[in-house]
């Protein structure tokens, strides 16, 4: 076998989001543990910003952010002329954009990323959840079509949640994109149903768990079974894609006031905060706090800082529990050794907690305030039992993730 270094490219990562940072670092760790000689490049939508926070990672631009794009924010006149010439060559003499002549007229970024992708042994569509109709996925879909049809590089849909899908005009392209994948590893069963809904046969699909649980191997904190519930990490986010989200603010205020009246201390924290220009849950958190009875606000501490994965885990370890809406706040809390009450804003969160057999610790944000109260009361009542449960639950999830990676991701099989 050729001993050349194996080249792996991860695409569509957004590691400025603490949840996506956890997914990426877990992905890089499991690749390193199983293929120590592999070279991994991670493509994302803003490597310049992300390198400020993650200087140790090998980051570059996603293909959709460099294809026919300039090297700078403002294209020069020379670049505009060259790009126009590329279109003329394509439309008149049918010279494809990926030809050497056309690429010679492109930006340095485009050339660099093209070569990175071309030299890859496999491409991994980053763990997480971004193929669904809430956000849209046209550019990411086009990138995978380019990787498959133009570059002929095998790709994997990697520990993802997919769907829901309701834009029927995209179903045919979606099914082809999924069919062209070497393997689709889902992290929960709701996504499987979303695939079946669009008519996909699912022959290359398996269900695992969230790959962030692999971080338990390195960062798992021993569970202190003698903990008492006093300090609660808490998080709420805006979810503007469904009508029910309009009531999240008032329900969050009510549940916080209930906990504060019972003398619990609340620490507002999120995997999405502290980065100018990016989603910041602390803004929604401040709206919640400002609506809470002023006499109760002394029991609240708001953390607005951007934290590294390691600092975030250390913060959680010093709390007694987590209640909130961010999925990876919940997963990282389990790894930090504290029980979780997961408030799911998408069915992916419900599915992951169902797989953990922690259904009792998870509910949809759409439920009415009475159920929010009931779930919170049950969580507090059963706190000691949940401490005992998470010892095994997070370890089992870690082992499932590792088993499935070894079973389905054989990089050497695709070694050039």
């Amino acid at each position: 076998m050729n001993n050349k270094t194996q080249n792996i490219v991860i695409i569509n990562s957004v590691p400025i989001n603490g949840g996506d940072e956890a997914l990426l670092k877990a992905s890089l760790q499991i690749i390193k543990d199983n293929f120590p000689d592999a070279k991994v490049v991670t493509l994302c939508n803003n490597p310049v910003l992300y390198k400020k926070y993650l200087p140790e990672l090998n980051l570059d631009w996603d293909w959709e952010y460099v294809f026919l794009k300039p090297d700078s924010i403002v294209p020069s006149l020379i670049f505009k002329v060259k790009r126009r010439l590329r279109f003329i060559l394509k439309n008149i003499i049918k010279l494809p954009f990926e030809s050497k002549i056309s690429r010679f007229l492109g930006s340095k970024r485009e050339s660099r990323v093209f070569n990175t992708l071309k030299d890859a042994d496999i491409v991994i569509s980053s763990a997480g959840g971004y193929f669904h109709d809430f956000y849209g996925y046209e550019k990411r879909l086009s990138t995978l079509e380019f990787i498959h049809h133009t570059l002929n590089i095998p790709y994997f849909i990697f520990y993802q949640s997919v769907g829901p899908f309701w834009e029927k005009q995209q179903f045919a392209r979606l099914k082809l994109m999924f069919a062209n994948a070497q393997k689709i590893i889902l992290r929960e069963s709701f996504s499987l149903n979303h695939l079946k809904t669009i008519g996909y046969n699912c022959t290359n699909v398996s269900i695992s768990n969230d790959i962030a649980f692999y971080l338990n191997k390195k960062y798992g904190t021993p569970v202190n079974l003698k903990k008492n519930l006093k300090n609660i990490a808490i998080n709420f986010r805006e979810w503007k894609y469904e009508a029910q989200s309009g009531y999240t603010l008032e329900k969050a205020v009510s549940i916080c006031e209930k906990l504060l009246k019972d003398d619990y201390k609340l620490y507002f924290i999120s995997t999405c905060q502290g980065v100018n220009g990016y989603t910041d849950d602390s803004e929604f958190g401040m709206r919640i706090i400002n609506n809470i009875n002023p006499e109760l606000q002394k029991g609240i501490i708001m953390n607005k800082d951007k934290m590294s994965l390691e600092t975030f885990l250390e913060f959680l370890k010093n709390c007694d529990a987590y209640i909130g809406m961010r999925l990876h706040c919940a997963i990282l809390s389990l790894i930090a050794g504290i029980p979780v009450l997961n408030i799911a804003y998408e069915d992916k969160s419900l599915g992951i907690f169902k797989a953990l057999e922690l259904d009792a610790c998870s509910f949809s944000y759409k439920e009415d305030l009475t159920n929010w109260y009931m779930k919170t009361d049950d969580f507090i009542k059963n706190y000691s039992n949940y401490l005992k449960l998470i010892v095994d639950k997070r370890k089992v999830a870690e082992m499932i993730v590792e088993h499935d990676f070894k079973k389905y991701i054989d990089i050497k099989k695709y070694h050039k």
Side-chain angles (χ1 to χ4, degrees):
M1 177 180 286
N2 190 336
N3 291 321
K4 181 174 71 72
T5 300
Q6 294 160 311
N7 294 313
I8 302 168
V9 178
I10 299 173
I11 64 172
N12 297 140
S13 181
V14 190
I16 199 66
N17 177 317
D20 287 82
E21 178 186 351
L23 290 169
L24 177 57
K25 287 187 173 178
S27 300
L28 294 172
Q29 188 64 49
I30 202 170
I31 290 170
K32 180 181 178 182
D33 289 347
N34 288 275
F35 304 98
D37 296 326
K39 175 186 175 183
V40 185
V41 179
T42 300
L43 305 186
C44 57
N45 65 343
N46 194 341
V48 177
L49 173 63
Y50 301 171
K51 282 179 180 178
K52 294 179 181 179
Y53 298 94
L54 301 162
E56 73 280 11
L57 298 186
N58 189 1
L59 302 174
D60 210 335
W61 295 89
D62 264 317
W63 177 247
E64 53 262 41
Y65 292 95
V66 298
F67 178 54
L68 298 175
K69 302 288 196 306
D71 286 319
S72 58
I73 296 175
V74 180
S76 67
L77 178 59
I78 293 175
F79 176 81
K80 290 179 180 179
V81 171
K82 288 181 177 181
R83 181 168 57 188
R84 180 61 181 162
L85 181 56
R86 294 181 77 182
F87 278 98
I88 291 172
L89 291 172
K90 183 177 187 300
N91 295 330
I92 295 179
I93 65 174
K94 309 303 179 185
L95 188 69
F97 289 126
E98 64 271 13
S99 68
K100 288 184 178 181
I101 294 175
S102 183
R103 287 191 290 111
F104 178 76
L105 299 170
S107 68
K108 293 179 181 179
R109 286 180 185 173
E110 180 181 331
S111 178
R112 185 179 66 244
V113 175
F114 179 91
N115 289 327
T116 296
L117 289 168
K118 178 177 65 68
D119 292 341
D121 293 300
I122 68 166
V123 168
I124 289 174
S125 181
S126 177
Y130 46 82
F131 284 112
H132 54 68
D133 283 337
F134 289 118
Y135 298 162
Y137 46 81
E138 169 63 32
K139 291 181 179 179
R140 287 168 170 170
L141 186 58
S142 296
T143 292
L144 285 176
E145 291 170 340
F146 167 73
I147 287 167
H148 177 76
H149 294 294
T150 301
L151 300 181
N152 195 29
I153 305 296
Y155 66 85
F156 292 80
I157 307 296
F158 193 73
Y159 294 91
Q160 287 193 18
S161 294
V162 299
F165 303 110
W166 56 81
E167 302 291 346
K168 293 184 178 180
Q169 69 273 17
Q170 290 281 35
F171 285 6
R173 285 182 70 195
L174 278 170
K175 287 190 286 185
L176 188 58
M177 181 270 288
F178 289 126
N180 288 333
Q182 299 296 309
K183 188 68 181 180
I184 300 169
I185 304 178
L186 302 176
R187 54 185 180 171
E188 35 72 29
S189 59
F190 284 90
S191 289
L192 183 65
N193 292 329
H194 292 319
L195 288 177
K196 291 178 179 178
T197 297
I198 67 171
Y200 186 60
N201 59 30
C202 300
T203 55
N204 61 341
V205 177
S206 295
I207 299 175
S208 184
N209 212 309
D210 193 290
I211 199 171
F213 280 110
Y214 192 72
L215 294 172
N216 186 63
K217 181 184 290 287
K218 182 176 181 179
Y219 295 109
T221 300
V223 178
N224 179 3
L225 298 178
K226 296 181 179 180
K227 263 185 179 285
N228 292 310
L229 182 56
K230 178 63 178 176
N231 300 313
I232 301 174
I234 199 158
N235 164 263
F236 301 97
R237 66 158 296 174
E238 290 189 280
W239 181 248
K240 300 177 180 179
Y241 302 98
E242 296 177 306
Q244 297 95 326
S245 65
Y247 301 102
T248 301
L249 177 64
E250 60 188 65
K251 287 188 282 191
V253 170
S254 294
I255 212 70
C256 287
E257 288 190 337
K258 170 182 170 57
L259 292 167
L260 291 164
K261 287 175 182 176
D262 290 334
D263 291 327
Y264 294 106
K265 181 165 282 190
L266 304 184
Y267 293 81
F268 276 71
I269 190 171
S270 176
T271 47
C272 291
Q273 63 183 35
V275 179
N276 186 35
Y278 190 71
T279 301
D280 192 334
D281 288 347
S282 67
E283 296 172 1
F284 188 55
M286 286 306 303
R287 286 169 56 195
I288 294 168
I289 292 170
N290 290 335
N291 280 277
I292 290 173
N293 185 329
E295 294 182 2
L296 299 173
Q297 291 181 16
K298 63 181 181 295
I300 298 172
I301 295 176
M302 165 61 76
N303 187 305
K304 296 183 178 183
D305 297 332
K306 164 70 177 171
M307 298 186 193
S308 67
L309 172 66
E310 293 76 12
T311 304
F312 195 80
L313 284 166
E314 190 67 24
F315 184 98
L316 291 170
K317 183 175 69 174
N318 291 315
C319 295
D320 304 315
Y322 165 79
I323 297 175
M325 295 176 67
R326 287 285 179 184
L327 172 61
H328 286 97
C329 282
I331 291 175
L332 293 175
S333 294
L334 294 175
I335 292 171
I338 61 173
V340 164
L341 181 59
N342 174 55
I343 306 172
Y345 64 92
E346 285 187 274
D347 57 15
K348 65 183 182 183
S349 296
L350 296 172
I352 289 168
F353 272 75
K354 181 179 179 181
L356 292 169
E357 297 181 338
L358 289 174
D359 305 61
C361 300
S362 184
F363 67 97
S364 172
Y365 83 104
K366 298 177 186 178
E367 294 189 28
D368 62 28
L369 184 58
T370 299
N371 283 325
W372 280 50
Y373 282 156
M374 182 182 68
K375 288 287 186 177
T376 303
D377 287 339
D378 287 346
F379 179 71
I380 293 170
K381 178 181 177 181
N382 293 291
Y383 175 77
S384 296
N385 292 331
Y386 291 145
L387 271 173
K388 297 173 186 176
L389 273 178
I390 64 174
V391 175
D392 293 329
K393 295 298 184 184
R394 60 186 188 166
K395 185 63 181 178
V396 169
E398 172 205 320
M399 292 170 64
I400 289 171
V401 165
E402 183 174 21
H403 170 270
D404 293 338
F405 180 89
K406 289 180 176 179
K407 182 176 181 180
Y408 299 121
I409 313 292
D410 184 2
I411 296 172
K412 292 180 180 179
K413 176 181 177 182
Y414 303 96
H415 191 40
K416 291 178 180 177

